[in-house]
Amino acid sequence: MYKFLFFLLITAVSFGQTNTYQISFENAAHHEATVNATFPNIKSHTLKVEMSRSSPGRYAVHEFAKNVYNLKATNGKGEELTTSRPDPYSWEISDHDGTVNISYTLFANHGDGTYSQVDNTHAHLNIPATFIFSKTLEHRPIEVTIDIPANSNWKVATQLKELSATKYAAPDLYYFMDSPMEISDFDLRSFNIDGQDIRFALHHPGTKQEFDEYFEKVKKIVKQQKLIFGELPKYDFGKYTFLACYMPNVTGDGMEHRNSTILTDVESLAEGGMKGNIGTVSHEYFHSWNVERIRPADLEPFDFTKANMSGSLWFAEGFTSYYTNLVLTRAKIISAEDYIKSLNGTFNYVWNSPAHKYFNSIEMSYQAPFVDAATSVDAVNRENTFISYYSYGSILGLALDLKLRDNDLNLDNFMKLMWTTYGKSEVAYTIKDIQTTLAKYAGQEFADEFFSNYIYKSEMPKYADLLKTVGLKLEQLKESAYFGASVKEDDNKLIISSNPKNESPAYKAFLSEGDEIKAANDSIISSKEAWSELLKSKKSGDKLQLVIVRNRQEQKTEVTLEEDPAYTISIDAKADKKAVKMRETWLKSK
């Protein structure tokens, strides 16, 4: 997020300017924590404190103040001070004696990368969701003390500087906010690479043997990603920490931070997490280069009081997504065949989206504050207007890599150049800087063509030709007729569960999300399985006479089915030797 300035910690502590926090968990069974904060040497008449409205790695607004109550303030003598609320997110405290002590109760019961969770199994703390702060004191160092519950065997895992087993320090507010904690009876593994420790703290119900097997995969991922960039980032205190919580009480997520990452999932390693969660490890660790240090200029400085928007998420998140499974392939965690299969879902989602006519990849990135774990109660039309910048960028990353390889270059070396130009020195980049760096690597004409067509415009690369260069083929699926809207079963009823895709058969028939499909061609339809079998028995041009229920009224409509627009990417058994060699070079371990 910024260059780490350790001397600030030493200098500020010596002058008594350290803000301190203490957190305890006496009522963990009911998801409550007690937080105490002390702000010394306040020079202003009024101190304003607030809860964050956003969180590092997230782009939408999250109103963390809603879970704070029982707030009280006292001065240095313990005398109670009057507080006022100028807005929903903050408190103002006046007439203090230079010291302001604040205590409050925090309710926390959503364990993921954005929120916090406190219960009898752990205290999973995302800092912006947990600790109050004062923006006017943002440059002060911070110390935080954790009161470990008696007889709990809890320990603390975090990227913060360890002062003792229960006390940790940050040089300023920004580093503190970017430093989540997992406090539990976790297992810990570590290995040293180039003089730095890669640690994995795992809170889980599994066995040590399962963890050992999983950690071997983690080590392979770290080594393969290092080879892409040529070196590890220089981690603060020489440590990088995975904070993994694979427990049934959490919510699945992954969230990158400067020297750590949060990994949460309900599946244990034995229940499928061994395979299902390792992709998140790959994705989030890649972020320690791409987004944490190769960092978009429009995310600097990160503002904790509002949504943060970047036009570069197709690169920061999307190219990271491209490398997620590619690295697993190179690390021999998944097979080349499985990797090729994994391209299909993302490719079809991006290729067949009507949203291309509304937004390019930059503008898709601008949608993040509305979609990145954002909440709303009104209906939206995402099926027709939005393509995830994760997926869009991933498919563009695939195209760029194959284009470069067709010119005896590759995306690995371009990412390495972005690292040495912007990441290693931690100079934030603009979109124009990405284009300039690509021109430096592959030539001005190459860079201008790629950005003009696929970044500034929303055209699709010629994937059939690109895939052919690495011995893959792109073929249109014709397994069933195309309807154009998703369906779900609800109480023995078949309900249209998505907005119909623009210009699809369902769209042209004026069907809508929420419509119940009661019958098709005089046959009652009540299950997804029956609906799927019906579509498989039809071909393009066939008509369905539907009876639907909308607003409690039966209606009849006719749908003319069309050819399935989905494609499949597969290995071409007839590919020439050059293409096969290109594919092997692309996917092999570095």
Side-chain angles (χ1 to χ4, degrees), residues 358-369:
Y358 299 111
F359 300 121
N360 61 22
S361 61
I362 297 171
E363 291 163 325
M364 292 300 178
S365 300
Y366 288 153
Q367 299 299 304

Side-chain angles (χ1 to χ4, degrees), residues 166-183:
T166 57
K167 182 180 286 189
Y168 295 81
D172 57 27
L173 177 68
Y174 287 92
Y175 196 93
F176 185 55
M177 290 292 220
D178 192 43
S179 303
M181 300 180 183
E182 173 62 29
I183 307 167

Side-chain angles (χ1 to χ4, degrees), residues 17 51 58 64 69 75 81 98 101 133 156 200 214 283 312 320 333 339 355 376 400 448 468 517-518 553 576:
Q17 297 291 317
M51 289 296 290
R58 281 266 112 93
F64 298 123
Y69 46 92
N75 62 18
L81 300 173
N101 301 303
F133 70 95
V156 180
F200 203 106
Y214 194 66
H283 182 96
S312 301
T320 298
I333 295 172
Y339 172 65
S376 59
L400 180 56
D448 289 350
K468 187 176 181 180
I517 300 176
K518 193 170 184 178
Q553 299 293 319
D576 59 40

Side-chain angles (χ1 to χ4, degrees), residues 290-315:
N290 190 32
V291 90
E292 288 299 330
R293 291 165 176 84
I294 306 173
R295 189 151 180 87
D298 44 13
L299 288 180
E300 287 294 318
F302 193 86
D303 192 334
F304 295 101
T305 67
K306 66 178 184 180
N308 290 260
M309 183 177 78
S310 172
S312 301
L313 298 187
W314 58 271
F315 179 78

Side-chain angles (χ1 to χ4, degrees), residues 314 318 321 349-350 364-365 371 386-394:
W314 58 271
S321 294
Y349 165 58
V350 176
M364 292 300 178
S365 300
V371 299
F386 178 68
I387 305 170
S388 167
Y389 38 84
Y390 288 87
S391 302
Y392 202 161
S394 176

Side-chain angles (χ1 to χ4, degrees), residues 11 68 147 166 322 400 446 500:
T11 303
V68 169
D147 288 348
T166 57
Y322 168 64
L400 180 56
F446 183 99

Side-chain angles (χ1 to χ4, degrees), residues 145-156:
T145 299
I146 297 95
D147 288 348
I148 302 295
N151 304 316
S152 67
N153 294 323
W154 286 7
K155 307 176 289 290
V156 180

Side-chain angles (χ1 to χ4, degrees), residues 317-477:
E317 295 287 1
F319 276 39
T320 298
S321 294
Y322 168 64
Y323 272 102
T324 297
N325 282 348
L326 181 58
V327 167
L328 296 184
T329 309
R330 292 176 177 176
K332 301 188 184 303
I333 295 172
I334 63 174
S335 67
E337 290 77 13
D338 285 342
Y339 172 65
I340 301 305
K341 290 178 182 178
S342 76
L343 296 173
N344 283 283
T346 304
F347 176 81
N348 279 300
Y349 165 58
V350 176
W351 178 269
N352 288 314
S353 175
H356 291 286
K357 67 180 180 180
Y358 299 111
F359 300 121
N360 61 22
S361 61
I362 297 171
E363 291 163 325
M364 292 300 178
S365 300
Y366 288 153
Q367 299 299 304
F370 308 124
V371 299
D372 184 42
T375 58
S376 59
V377 297
D378 57 326
V380 293
N381 193 19
R382 295 291 177 214
E383 295 90 344
N384 291 304
T385 62
F386 178 68
I387 305 170
S388 167
Y389 38 84
Y390 288 87
S391 302
Y392 202 161
S394 176
I395 293 302
L396 290 177
L398 170 65
L400 180 56
D401 198 1
L402 297 186
K403 277 178 172 285
L404 288 169
R405 290 177 183 278
D406 200 34
N407 287 272
D408 296 322
L409 303 168
N410 59 72
L411 190 63
D412 294 352
N413 286 338
F414 169 66
M415 295 302 296
K416 185 176 180 179
L417 184 58
M418 285 293 295
W419 164 248
T420 56
T421 306
Y422 298 101
K424 193 170 182 178
S425 59
E426 299 196 44
V427 176
Y429 68 83
T430 64
I431 294 173
K432 187 65 177 177
D433 290 331
I434 307 175
Q435 184 176 358
T436 300
T437 306
L438 184 59
K440 181 179 178 181
Y441 178 63
Q444 193 69 53
E445 183 178 353
F446 183 99
D448 289 350
E449 185 270 338
F450 187 84
F451 271 76
S452 294
N453 292 331
Y454 313 126
I455 306 303
Y456 302 128
K457 295 179 184 177
S458 56
E459 296 178 11
M460 280 285 96
K462 296 179 180 179
Y463 283 101
D465 294 339
L466 292 172
L467 292 166
K468 187 176 181 180
T469 65
V470 289
L472 303 179
K473 57 184 177 180
L474 184 68
E475 299 175 297
Q476 190 170 7
L477 286 171

